[in-house]
Structure formats: structure tokens, C-alpha cells
């Protein structure tokens, strides 16, 4: 069955930064879409500046897995859109939060924390070595024991998030820092995967290993189990067991 994937990219850096435009002439969402293209995926691309912030209900309600990349315009995203996405996740839509999306309203809402971390951006970037520490997990399928991102923005611990349900990747940087770079969470019926590599001024989204991680994440986050009841607040008027009179 085809997985309906929507890639939401804030899309602001590509409008103003010549370096980003050179690295990603078709925007970052374009590079991601090209890298994960597969007959199993029906991919739609959208940005914050598109009508209805890029996610009208008709598209959001037709999305199996949503990919989210944001950075400089987190506060421009309306609370109403965040409310709608949160409810879709609780009902079973998969969600991948990429790189600086950790500071988005959406991720912080779903985590219940500020999602702060340490960071460093060098002109030449830091070498990032992404270690696969849970090789049996579906998101790690087909990956080597580790892979490298030659130029990356350093994200370092401590990372202000709840303890992940599963930790798939830990990154080491040439400056000595480490970071929980691949984490999963469940909220309601929805699966969430956070993956940190992806800074806009480095060609991270041209890396085939990064493509593999994201594609695996999409497949993992897609809700296969459709028969379970969506949790709602409901009134159970009648008790499950009727009281019986005590024997004489």
C-alpha cells in the first residue's frame, strides 16, 4: 500500500541565502524528496508560505507521515496549525522531525519540554559520525555500523527531551561532543522519529545514508495497525459487571 508522505519545509533559507540556494537549488524538501523517492511513497512538498501555512486540512488529513523542517520561522507557525497536527498525530499520523525542528512549536508541544541543546556552526562544519546503536531496529535497516556526515552543525548534550522510547543513533563530533541524534517517541497512536543531521548550509540532504534513515523512518512511522480504538474521553454509563445481591 502506498504511503502518503508530506514534506513540510519552512522554506525561508532558500529564499535569502545564496549558499543554501547553491546547495539546494530545488530547496531542502526537494533534495529529501529526490533522495527517498520510491514507488511505495506518494510524496507531496509544501512550505510555510504556501496557502494555509502549507498544510490545509485536506492535505493534513490525507497524510500518513509528515516530515517537518523548520528553523528561523518557528514562531510564525500558528498555534491553530500546531493544534491540528497534534491531534492528527494522536490519531495515528506518523511524524518525522528533522534537524532544527527540535525547537519548533510542534516538537516542544509533543515533548512537553523546551528541547534545548548545545550547538556550534563552523564555516567548514564539524565531522559527524553517526553510530547505529540499535541495529535491529527497522529504522537502522540496511545501514553500516556507523556513517559519517563530513560537514555538519554540532548538536550536543544535554538535550532537553523526555527519555526516548527508543534510541537508534548517537552522534560523535570532531570537537568531542556526543548527541542522541535518532530518537523515537509515541504520542497517542502516532509514532514520532527525531533525526538531527540536516543543517541548511551543508549538503547533508544529499547524503545517501541520511536518505536511507529518513526513508526507513517513514516506513516505521506509518501506522500499520488500523483496528485499534482511538483514545477519546467517553462516558461509560453502565458498569461492566452488575452488582448482585448477597446470598441469604
Amino acid at each position: 500500500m502506498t504511503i502518503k508522505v508530506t514534506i513540510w519545509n519552512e522554506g525561508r533559507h532558500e529564499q535569502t541565502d545564496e549558499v543554501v540556494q547553491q546547495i539546494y537549488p530545488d530547496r531542502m524538501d526537494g533534495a529529501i524528496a529526490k533522495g527517498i523517492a520510491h514507488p511505495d511513497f506518494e510524496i507531496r512538498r509544501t512550505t510555510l508560505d504556501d496557502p494555509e501555512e502549507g498544510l490545509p486540512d485536506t492535505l493534513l488529513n490525507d497524510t500518513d507521515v509528515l516530515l517537518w523542517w523548520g528553523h528561523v520561522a518557528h514562531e510564525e507557525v500558528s498555534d491553530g496549525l500546531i493544534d491540528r497536527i497534534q491531534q492528527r498525530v494522536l490519531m495515528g499520523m506518523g511524524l518525522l522531525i528533522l534537524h532544527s525542528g527540535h525547537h519548533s512549536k510542534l516538537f516542544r508541544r509533543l515533548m512537553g519540554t523546551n528541547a534545548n541543546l548545545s550547538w556550534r556552526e563552523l564555516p567548514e562544519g564539524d565531522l559527524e559520525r553517526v553510530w547505529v546503536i540499535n541495529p535491529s531496529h527497522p529504522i537502522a535497516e540496511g545501514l553500516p555500523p556507523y556513517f559519517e556526515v563530513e560537514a555538519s552543525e554540532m548538536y550536543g548534550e544535554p538535550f532537553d527531551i523526555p527519555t526516548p522510547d527508543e534510541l537508534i543513533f548517537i552522534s560523535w563530533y570532531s570537537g568531542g561532543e556526543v548527541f542522541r541524534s535518532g530518537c523515537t517517541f509515541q504520542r497517542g497512536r502516532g509514532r514520532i522519529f527525531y533525526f538531527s543531521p540536516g543543517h541548511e548550509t551543508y549538503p547533508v540532504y544529499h547524503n545517501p545514508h541520511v536518505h536511507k534513515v529518513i526513508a526507513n523512518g517513514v516506513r516505521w512511522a506509518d501506522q500499520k495497525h488500523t483496528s485499534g480504538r482511538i483514545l477519546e474521553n467517553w462516558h461509560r454509563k453502565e458498569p461492566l459487571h452488575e452488582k448482585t445481591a448477597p446470598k441469604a
Side-chain angles (χ1 to χ4, degrees), residues 7-25:
I7 305 175
W8 186 95
N9 173 20
E10 174 187 281
R12 294 295 173 76
H13 290 289
E14 294 93 333
Q15 297 179 39
T16 60
D17 191 314
E18 291 185 2
V19 172
V20 179
Q21 291 168 354
Q22 292 173 5
I23 298 172
Y24 297 111

Side-chain angles (χ1 to χ4, degrees), residues 97-99 102 107 155 159 179 181-183 192-196:
I97 299 288
L98 303 176
H99 189 56
H102 72 93
F107 189 64
Y155 275 7
F159 187 17
F179 188 68
S181 53
C183 309
I192 302 169
F193 175 49
Y194 172 74
F195 186 57
S196 65

Side-chain angles (χ1 to χ4, degrees), residues 60-76:
L60 187 59
N61 294 335
D62 192 46
T63 296
D64 297 318
V65 180
L66 175 66
L67 278 62
W68 186 275
W69 196 101
H71 185 204
V72 296
H74 294 318
E75 296 307 311
E76 294 183 38

Side-chain angles (χ1 to χ4, degrees), residues 128-133 167-172 178-182:
E128 179 178 359
R129 184 170 295 143
V130 183
W131 286 94
V132 181
I133 65 165
L167 187 56
I168 318 300
F169 306 111
I170 289 180
S171 288
W172 170 90
V178 295
F179 188 68
R180 290 170 288 171
S181 53

Side-chain angles (χ1 to χ4, degrees), residues 7 28-38 41 43 205-208 210-212 214-215:
I7 305 175
M28 282 179 282
D29 52 290
I32 294 169
K34 182 178 179 180
I36 69 171
H38 191 277
F41 298 161
I43 299 175
Y205 291 126
H206 295 305
N207 184 312
V210 171
H211 296 158
K212 183 66 172 174
I214 295 174

Side-chain angles (χ1 to χ4, degrees), residues 27 50 173 177 191 201 245:
R27 301 195 311 251
D50 290 332
Y173 296 86
E177 296 85 0
R191 291 177 170 184
T201 59

